[in-house]
Amino acid sequence: MKAVTWRGVNDIGVEDVPEPTILNGHDAIVEVGLSATCGSDLHLVGGYIPAMRAGDVLGHEFMGTIVETGPDVTRHQVGDRVVVVSFTSCGQCWYCRQGLFSLCDNGNPNPGITEALWGQAIGGCYGYSHAMGGWAGSHARYIRVPYADQGAFPVPEGVSDERALFASDAAPTGWTGADLAGVQPGDTVAVWGAGGVGQMAARAAMLMGAEQVVVVDRFENRLEQVRTHIGAETLDYEEVDVPAELRERTGGRGPDVCIEAVGMEAHSPGPAHVYDQVKQQLRLQTDRPTAVREAIYACRKGGSVFTLGVFGGVVDKFPLGAVMNKGLTLRGAQQHGHRYIPEILERMSRDEVRTEHLATHVMSLDDGAKGYRMFKEKEDGCVRAVFRP
């Protein structure tokens, strides 16, 4: 079958790969209906995430139809239309029982790599390097889904494929950030990044009762999506002093909650961006923390900062003094989507969460390299490239 694969740094191709088969009793085979690119995939493309191998199938955000199940699958049957959470989690270990599904002890069959990187292994993720399990990704006709009873969720009738697709990763990632950041009714929330995850974090904060939600970005088409489809306020960081403007809008205090939804390749218009980019390219730091720094400085005293964008290793010039002296709560996480996807799908069925606008460019797998190029370079206003096998 055809699949979109990683062939090397900044080299994406389409090649034939073997069709997946049932390997364990809890597996299911899903025929992919739609599979989206994600901003975190660009870290793989650029070579910033270790343990990629030539020929690895990309993609972790997808929905489709179950075409085969293992003998131990009890909640699904052939023909079910499902959305699959991007993280593989067993549902039985201590972390899963605490609702910390992306920290699953059993979802990553290659724990040694992340143990060396971060001190402990976390769960696995489809199409996201051998450090995260080596699972084949979703940019293909079929995909093997382990722990299918835990990670596949029936799509309600009336919810389109294009809407359900983003209940796989963008929406539950946004929900993870807003929930674990502690958004409360009446809060002011600032979100850095107006991609799919940032937009969904903003929408989640609004549905949790935030009084004011402001999304920070520099691409006008994405900011327009925020205003039109999410209903939040926006700031262009190339046009305004973001911390000063946020203080102006909050009576001088700053936001109660700041959510960083950009990740390790953050951009800024000032000299700090050049500094961070040079150090990253020389591998003197692995990530560019520009947006995290700004969120920490902008957040009100005693507030909460949440790192939702993907980071891989170490950063320089991290304002730990501001975190400590301002009394901030600093947290981060990969998504615990199993906790949030049922609620998200229900809200999608009631039109409280709309995501179709994120799929700006839908194309075939044959256009895999083109789709990733358009997504990376923001060609033609591309917010997400989506593949239809």
Side-chain angles (χ1 to χ4, degrees), residues 37-52:
T37 56
C38 175
S40 61
D41 290 328
L42 298 181
H43 310 325
L44 300 175
V45 174
Y48 297 110
I49 301 293
M52 289 295 290

Side-chain angles (χ1 to χ4, degrees), residues 69-152:
T69 61
D72 298 330
V73 175
T74 61
R75 298 179 183 175
H76 300 290
Q77 58 187 5
V78 171
D80 285 355
R81 187 169 66 117
V82 296
V83 60
V84 180
V85 64
S86 60
F87 265 75
T88 57
S89 308
C90 73
Q92 305 299 320
C93 70
W94 186 88
Y95 289 98
C96 287
R97 293 198 304 272
Q98 309 310 308
L100 305 173
F101 291 95
S102 67
L103 306 180
C104 176
D105 275 334
N106 300 311
N108 185 346
N110 298 326
I113 300 174
T114 48
E115 285 175 353
L117 283 172
W118 304 322
Q120 290 179 295
I122 67 170
C125 180
Y126 297 103
Y128 214 78
S129 88
H130 293 265
M132 300 294 285
W135 302 105
S138 59
H139 295 341
R141 179 72 179 276
Y142 299 102
I143 185 171
R144 173 183 163 232
V145 176
Y147 308 115
D149 279 343
Q150 307 298 325

Side-chain angles (χ1 to χ4, degrees), residues 151-379:
F153 298 84
V155 177
E157 187 175 349
V159 175
S160 69
D161 289 357
E162 290 77 11
R163 182 174 293 187
L165 167 63
F166 295 102
S168 169
D169 188 84
T173 301
W175 248 257
T176 298
D179 184 29
L180 298 188
V183 173
Q184 298 293 321
D187 277 353
T188 293
V189 178
V191 180
W192 275 256
V197 170
Q199 291 190 35
M200 291 298 100
R203 186 59 183 156
M206 295 171 69
L207 290 170
M208 292 175 188
E211 182 176 312
Q212 183 180 36
V213 179
V214 183
V215 179
V216 181
D217 205 297
R218 65 179 170 132
F219 294 103
E220 178 54 32
N221 65 305
R222 304 206 305 190
L223 294 172
E224 178 59 30
Q225 284 192 343
V226 170
R227 294 188 291 267
T228 302
H229 299 285
I230 305 302
E233 302 173 32
T234 61
L235 289 175
D236 182 338
Y237 68 76
E238 292 189 329
E239 300 294 330
V240 301
D241 181 327
V242 171
E245 181 63 26
L246 290 172
R247 287 192 295 271
E248 179 69 23
R249 297 187 184 198
T250 55
R253 288 191 310 275
D256 303 290
V257 174
C258 293
I259 299 173
E260 190 277 354
V262 181
M264 65 170 65
E265 295 182 75
H267 172 272
S268 75
H273 173 67
V274 177
Y275 171 88
D276 280 325
Q277 190 167 36
V278 169
K279 293 205 74 172
Q280 187 181 43
Q281 295 303 316
L282 293 175
R283 297 303 188 261
L284 299 176
Q285 65 175 357
T286 60
D287 309 341
R288 300 199 298 265
T290 315
V292 176
R293 288 194 198 109
E294 188 167 81
I296 289 170
Y297 290 128
C299 192
R300 71 159 171 84
K301 292 177 287 186
S304 174
V305 176
F306 199 92
T307 56
L308 199 54
V310 171
F311 289 86
V314 295
V315 300
D316 192 15
K317 302 295 187 292
F318 186 79
L320 186 58
V323 174
M324 182 268 171
N325 287 288
K326 290 175 65 177
L328 301 180
T329 298
L330 176 63
R331 295 189 69 179
Q334 295 278 8
Q335 65 138 322
H336 304 308
H338 304 66
R339 289 167 59 170
Y340 305 109
I341 290 175
E343 175 192 350
I344 291 167
L345 289 170
E346 182 180 346
R347 289 185 180 276
M348 284 180 166
S349 71
R350 300 199 301 260
D351 288 334
E352 295 175 2
V353 177
R354 298 183 177 93
T355 58
E356 296 92 334
H357 65 280
L358 297 174
T360 53
H361 294 75
V362 180
M363 57 193 72
S364 73
L365 288 176
D366 290 326
D367 293 319
K370 173 185 175 183
Y372 268 94
R373 187 194 72 242
M374 293 182 69
F375 181 44
K376 181 178 181 179
E377 302 299 330
K378 309 296 187 290
E379 292 180 12

